[in-house]
């Protein structure tokens, strides 16, 4: 079934530990995104990737890093987790990013990862 | 600056009532896209609609309708004859040309509670 998978579903992590959230899509979408959702704040962009091999910073990138070695995978790493990174993390993908054009097809979201940093 | 404002934090209605969720956006781009997403209690994000800045036609899909008015920078969402299954958090979002890989800028969401 085509879509986006995220792992783990939920995680409790001790502060200071390193953690990688996994995201895989099988729709061959060019663009991928990581958002965090916090109560009362909506969803905020952490990092994005327009195509394999490129990444960029979003609104709240501090403390996070990403890589995009291939089209399908877009892992998000917390190098040293802090309690303020407790959140629900959503990965999303979108097809059709074109050079010099704007074709924002709807973003497809994964089911989310609930992360608690203690 | 780009911004999406959903002034209604929470709305409670009784089944069969009509309800309108407000969305006001700010952008300097002439080309942009507006979206509504639904997040039911199960937590997933469900795409509802995309509207581009060139098309101000209102849209109706079953009990859902959307009113896009560029003059007031609003993109409001109306549910007619609400049902308990409509209970969810609804997000309005904006996507601009050239902004961070066309990522979405979300409002803070409106929590809709529909009671029977």
């Amino acid at each position: 079934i085509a879509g986006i998978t995220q792992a783990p579903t939920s995680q409790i992590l001790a502060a200071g530990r390193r953690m990688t959230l996994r995201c895989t899509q099988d729709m061959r979408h060019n663009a991928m995104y990581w958002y965090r959702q916090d109560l009362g704040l909506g969803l905020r962009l952490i990092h994005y990737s327009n195509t394999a091999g490129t990444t960029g910073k979003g609104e709240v990138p501090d403390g996070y890093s990403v890589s995009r070695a291939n089209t399908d995978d877009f892992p998000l790493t917390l190098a040293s987790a802090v309690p303020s990174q407790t959140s629900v993390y959503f990965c999303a993908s979108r097809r059709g990013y074109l050079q010099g054009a704007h074709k924002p097809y709807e973003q497809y979201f994964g089911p989310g990862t609930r992360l608690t940093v203690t | 600056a780009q911004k999406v404002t959903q002034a209604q934090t929470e709305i409670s209605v009784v089944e069969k009532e009509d309800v309108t969720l407000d969305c006001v956006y700010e952008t300097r781009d002439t080309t942009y896209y507006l979206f509504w997403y639904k997040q039911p209690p199960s937590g997933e994000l469900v795409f509802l609609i995309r509207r581009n800045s060139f098309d101000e036609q209102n849209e109706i899909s079953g009990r859902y309708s959307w009113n896009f008015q560029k003059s007031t920078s609003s993109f409001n969402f109306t549910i007619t004859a609400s049902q308990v299954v409509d209970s969810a958090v609804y997000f309005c979002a904006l996507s601009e040309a050239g902004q961070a890989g066309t990522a979405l800028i979300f409002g803070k969401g409106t929590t809709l509670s529909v009671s029977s």
Side-chain angles (χ1 to χ4, degrees), chain B residues 87-99:
Chain B
S87 297
V89 182
Y90 291 87
F91 291 99
C92 181
L94 166 72
S95 176
E96 297 178 318
Q99 183 268 347

Side-chain angles (χ1 to χ4, degrees), chain A residues 31 33 35 37 40-43 45 48 50 57 90 94 97 102-109 111, chain B residues 31-33 35 37 39 43-45 47 50 91 95-98 100-104 106-108:
Chain A
Y33 311 85
Y35 296 88
Q37 182 180 14
L41 295 178
L43 284 85
L45 181 67
Y48 67 93
N50 289 334
K57 295 181 180 180
F90 286 97
R94 184 188 61 76
Y97 180 80
H102 182 54
K103 276 193 154 186
Y105 302 101
E106 57 263 28
Q107 291 190 10
Y108 294 80
F109 284 83
Chain B
T31 302
Y32 54 90
Y33 293 75
F35 301 77
Y37 282 84
Q39 187 176 43
E44 74 273 22
L45 285 157
F47 166 81
R50 178 187 75 243
F91 291 99
S95 176
E96 297 178 318
T102 64
L104 295 173
F106 284 86
K108 295 182 179 180

Side-chain angles (χ1 to χ4, degrees), chain B residues 59-73:
Chain B
E59 183 156 340
I60 298 174
S61 176
R63 295 184 296 107
Y64 295 172
S65 62
W66 291 269
N67 183 331
F68 176 30
Q69 292 194 339
K70 289 178 74 171
S71 61
T72 56
S73 297

